Amino acid sequence: MNRRWLKITLAIVALAVFAYVGRSYFGDMHRITDAHWLGVLGIALIHVLTLALQGWTFKCGLDALGESISDKESFHLSVFSSYANLLVPRSGFGTLALYLKKIRNTALADFGSVLLINAALFAFSAAAAAVIVLAISGWATGHHAPGWLLSGLTVLLVISGLAVSARWTIVELYRGPGCGFLHRLGRASAKLVASGNVWRLGVLHVTMMLLRAWRLQIAFWALSIDVNFSGVLLASVLGDLAFVIAVTPTALGFREAAIAFAAAQMGTSTSLAVSTAVFDRLVFSLTVVVVAKVLVIASLRKRTAASPTPRPT
C-alpha cells in the first residue's frame, strides 16, 4: 500500500513539474477541438491493433516456456494491463503476474523472464531506430544530435542487446538471498532466448514501433499539421523510450516532452508537437478505457448466461 501511494505521489509531483515547465507550449491546444474524425478513428483502430500485438508478445514468450494462452486471452491481458497503467504507474505488469499466477499457475520468475526479454527487445529496437534516424538526419542536414543523446542511446542499445544475447545460465552462480527466484528467472530467460520465438518477438516489437509512429503521423494529419515521417518516427521512438524512465501513468508528460524535443526534426513548432502528443494520448487512452469496459461487460454477460437458472420450487 505504501509503495502504491509513493508511486502516485511521484506521479503527481512529476506532472506538476511538467505542467509548470511546459505551460508556455499549450497555446495550440485549441486545435484538438477541430480534429478530423477520420484521424480519431484511425488512431483508435491502430491502437487496438497495437494492443493485440502486445498481447501476442506475452503469448509468444509464454509459449516458448511451455505455458500456452489463447489469442483472446492474450488480447484481454494486454488491454487490462494498459488500463491498469492508466490508473497507477507501472501497475499493469503486476496485475498480469498475479492473474497468471492465480489462473494459470505461472511462476512469477517465468513471467518475469517474458517481461525482461520483451523489455530488452523493445529497448533495442527503439534505440536502434533512433540512432539510425539521427545519423541519417545529421548526414543529410548537417545538424547533428546532442552527444549526450547519442551516448545514452548507444549505452541502451548495448545493454539491451546483451540482455537478449547473454548466457543467462551464469545467474545460477549467485548464492545470495532470493537465489531460487533468480535461478529460475535465469533458466527461463535462457530458454526463451534460445527458442525461435525470440525472433518473432523482435518482429512484433519492430511492427508495434512502426504502428505507433504511424499513429502519431495520423494525429498530426488530423490536426492539419504537415510533418515528415522520419521526424515523426524519431519523435515516436523517443516517446517510447520515455516509458523506461517514466514515473507517471503511461509516461504522461515524459512522452510529450520527448515528442516536443523532436519537433525540429519533424519540421514543426514545439507547441504544435505538444498539442498533437496530447491529442494522440487522449484518443488512445479513451480507446483503452472503452475497450476494457466492453470486455468487462461481455465477460459479465457470458457468466450470467452460463450460470444455471434456479428452478422454481
Side-chain angles (χ1 to χ4, degrees):
M1 181 66 71
N2 290 336
R3 184 177 296 179
R4 186 183 71 177
W5 282 109
L6 176 60
K7 290 181 179 179
I8 294 174
T9 301
L10 287 174
I12 293 173
V13 171
L15 289 175
V17 171
F18 278 122
Y20 178 77
V21 173
R23 66 191 186 282
S24 59
Y25 299 114
F26 296 155
D28 289 302
M29 288 294 179
H30 62 88
R31 283 177 171 263
I32 294 177
T33 59
D34 298 323
H36 199 292
W37 68 270
L38 280 177
V40 174
L41 180 61
I43 293 171
L45 291 177
I46 291 175
H47 191 59
V48 171
L49 177 57
T50 306
L51 289 173
L53 295 179
Q54 179 178 281
W56 284 352
T57 64
F58 303 147
K59 176 178 171 58
C60 283
L62 291 172
D63 282 348
L65 302 180
E67 303 182 32
S68 180
I69 60 175
S70 67
D71 291 336
K72 181 180 178 180
E73 189 174 12
S74 69
F75 178 66
H76 285 207
L77 291 176
S78 176
V79 171
F80 289 118
S81 170
S82 298
Y83 183 73
N85 285 331
L86 286 176
L87 303 177
V88 179
R90 300 184 181 276
S91 62
F93 292 146
T95 303
L96 295 191
L98 291 175
Y99 169 86
L100 290 171
K101 178 66 176 177
K102 182 177 180 180
I103 303 300
R104 296 287 185 176
N105 198 29
T106 301
L108 294 180
D110 289 352
F111 183 64
S113 70
V114 174
L115 294 183
L116 180 63
I117 300 304
N118 269 316
L121 288 169
F122 163 82
F124 183 84
S125 59
V131 169
I132 292 171
V133 173
L134 286 171
I136 294 175
S137 176
W139 172 78
T141 64
H143 298 292
H144 298 283
W148 61 266
L149 178 59
L150 286 174
S151 298
L153 289 172
T154 302
V155 170
L156 181 60
L157 191 62
V158 171
I159 293 175
S160 57
L162 289 175
V164 176
S165 60
R167 295 181 60 85
W168 286 94
T169 51
I170 197 173
V171 176
E172 296 191 30
L173 298 176
Y174 175 72
R175 290 291 182 270
C179 62
F181 173 83
L182 289 177
H183 290 174
R184 178 153 186 168
L185 177 69
R187 289 193 295 269
S189 299
K191 185 177 181 180
L192 177 53
V193 169
S195 72
N197 282 12
V198 73
W199 297 107
R200 297 186 183 93
L201 289 174
V203 171
L204 285 172
H205 280 288
V206 171
T207 303
M208 287 190 292
M209 178 184 66
L210 294 174
L211 282 174
R212 286 190 291 267
W214 186 25
R215 192 189 71 205
L216 185 59
Q217 178 90 50
I218 291 175
F220 277 106
W221 173 84
L223 299 184
S224 301
I225 302 171
D226 186 28
V227 290
N228 61 79
F229 183 73
S230 61
V232 172
L233 177 59
L234 176 63
S236 179
V237 166
L238 293 179
D240 291 345
L241 291 174
F243 283 87
V244 177
I245 60 173
V247 295
T248 55
T250 58
L252 179 59
F254 287 86
R255 181 175 180 272
E256 285 71 18
I259 293 174
F261 177 80
Q265 282 76 12
M266 292 185 288
T268 189
S269 66
T270 302
S271 62
L272 289 175
V274 170
S275 299
T276 305
V278 171
F279 167 63
D280 180 49
R281 175 179 294 280
L282 289 173
V283 177
F284 77 66
S285 297
L286 182 59
T287 300
V288 170
V289 173
V290 171
V291 173
K293 296 298 183 183
V294 169
L295 292 180
V296 169
I297 293 172
S299 177
L300 291 175
R301 287 183 176 178
K302 185 176 180 180
R303 287 187 180 184
T304 302
S307 61
T309 304
R311 296 181 179 179
T313 57

Coordinates of all heavy atoms in Angstrom, one line a residue, residues 11 13 26 37 46-47 84 91 115 121 136 146 163 165 200-201 225 235 253 282 287:
A11 N 4.2 10.5 -9.2 CA 3.5 10.9 -10.5 C 2.9 12.3 -10.4 O 3.0 13.0 -11.4 CB 2.4 9.9 -10.8
V13 N 3.9 14.8 -8.5 CA 5.0 15.8 -8.5 C 5.5 16.0 -9.9 O 5.8 17.1 -10.4 CB 6.1 15.3 -7.5 CG1 7.3 16.2 -7.7 CG2 5.5 15.4 -6.1
F26 N 1.4 25.5 -24.5 CA 0.0 25.0 -24.6 C -0.9 25.9 -25.5 O -2.1 25.7 -25.5 CB -0.7 24.9 -23.2 CG 0.0 23.9 -22.3 CD1 0.0 24.1 -20.9 CD2 0.7 22.8 -22.8 CE1 0.6 23.2 -20.0 CE2 1.3 21.9 -22.0 CZ 1.3 22.1 -20.6
W37 N -12.4 13.7 -37.8 CA -13.0 12.5 -37.1 C -12.3 11.2 -37.7 O -12.2 10.2 -37.0 CB -14.5 12.4 -37.3 CG -14.9 12.2 -38.7 CD1 -15.2 13.1 -39.7 CD2 -15.2 10.9 -39.4 NE1 -15.6 12.6 -40.8 CE2 -15.6 11.2 -40.7 CE3 -15.1 9.6 -39.0 CZ2 -15.9 10.2 -41.6 CZ3 -15.4 8.6 -39.9 CH2 -15.8 8.9 -41.2
I46 N -5.7 1.8 -34.8 CA -4.2 1.4 -34.8 C -3.9 1.0 -33.4 O -3.1 0.1 -33.2 CB -3.3 2.5 -35.3 CG1 -3.6 2.7 -36.8 CG2 -1.9 2.2 -35.0 CD1 -2.8 3.8 -37.5
H47 N -4.4 1.7 -32.4 CA -4.1 1.4 -31.0 C -4.6 0.0 -30.6 O -4.0 -0.7 -29.9 CB -4.6 2.5 -30.1 CG -4.0 2.3 -28.7 ND1 -2.6 2.4 -28.4 CD2 -4.6 2.1 -27.5 CE1 -2.4 2.2 -27.1 NE2 -3.6 2.1 -26.5
A84 N -4.7 -0.7 -16.4 CA -4.1 -0.6 -15.0 C -3.1 0.5 -15.0 O -3.0 1.3 -14.1 CB -3.6 -1.9 -14.6
S91 N 1.6 -0.4 -12.9 CA 0.9 -1.4 -12.2 C 0.4 -2.6 -13.1 O 0.0 -3.6 -12.7 CB -0.3 -0.8 -11.5 OG -1.2 -0.2 -12.4
L115 N 8.8 -10.7 -19.4 CA 8.8 -9.3 -19.4 C 10.2 -8.8 -19.6 O 10.4 -7.8 -20.3 CB 8.3 -8.8 -18.0 CG 6.9 -9.0 -17.7 CD1 6.5 -8.4 -16.3 CD2 5.9 -8.5 -18.7
L121 N 14.1 -6.3 -25.9 CA 13.8 -6.2 -27.4 C 13.1 -4.9 -27.7 O 13.4 -4.3 -28.7 CB 12.9 -7.4 -27.8 CG 13.6 -8.8 -27.9 CD1 12.5 -9.8 -28.1 CD2 14.6 -8.8 -29.0
I136 N 21.1 9.5 -40.1 CA 20.7 9.9 -41.4 C 20.4 11.4 -41.5 O 20.8 12.1 -42.4 CB 19.5 9.0 -41.9 CG1 20.0 7.6 -42.1 CG2 19.0 9.6 -43.2 CD1 18.8 6.6 -42.4
P146 N 22.6 16.0 -30.1 CA 23.5 16.2 -29.0 C 24.3 15.0 -28.6 O 23.7 13.8 -28.7 CB 22.5 16.6 -27.8 CG 21.3 17.1 -28.5 CD 21.2 16.3 -29.8
A163 N 21.3 -8.1 -23.1 CA 20.3 -8.8 -22.3 C 19.6 -9.9 -23.2 O 19.2 -10.9 -22.7 CB 19.2 -7.8 -21.9
S165 N 21.1 -11.4 -25.8 CA 22.1 -12.4 -26.3 C 22.9 -13.0 -25.2 O 23.7 -14.0 -25.4 CB 23.1 -11.8 -27.3 OG 23.8 -10.7 -26.7
R200 N 10.4 -13.9 -33.4 CA 9.0 -13.5 -33.6 C 8.7 -12.3 -32.7 O 8.1 -11.3 -33.1 CB 8.0 -14.6 -33.2 CG 8.1 -15.8 -34.1 CD 7.0 -16.8 -33.8 NE 7.2 -18.0 -34.7 CZ 7.8 -19.1 -34.3 NH1 8.4 -19.2 -33.1 NH2 7.9 -20.2 -35.1
L201 N 9.3 -12.3 -31.5 CA 9.1 -11.2 -30.5 C 9.8 -9.9 -31.1 O 9.2 -8.8 -31.0 CB 9.7 -11.5 -29.2 CG 8.9 -12.6 -28.3 CD1 9.7 -12.9 -27.1 CD2 7.6 -12.0 -28.0
I225 N -1.5 19.4 -39.5 CA -0.1 19.8 -39.3 C 0.7 19.0 -40.3 O 0.7 17.7 -40.2 CB 0.3 19.7 -37.9 CG1 -0.6 20.5 -36.9 CG2 1.8 20.1 -37.7 CD1 -0.4 20.2 -35.5
A235 N 10.4 11.0 -33.2 CA 9.6 11.5 -32.0 C 8.9 10.4 -31.3 O 8.9 10.3 -30.1 CB 8.6 12.6 -32.5
G253 N 3.5 13.1 -19.7 CA 4.4 14.2 -19.5 C 5.8 13.8 -20.1 O 6.3 14.6 -20.8
L282 N -5.0 11.5 -25.6 CA -6.5 11.5 -25.3 C -7.2 10.4 -26.0 O -8.0 9.7 -25.4 CB -7.1 12.9 -25.6 CG -6.7 14.0 -24.7 CD1 -7.2 15.3 -25.3 CD2 -7.2 13.8 -23.3
T287 N -9.6 5.0 -25.9 CA -9.8 3.8 -26.6 C -9.6 2.6 -25.6 O -10.3 1.6 -25.6 CB -8.8 3.6 -27.8 OG1 -9.0 4.7 -28.7 CG2 -9.0 2.3 -28.5

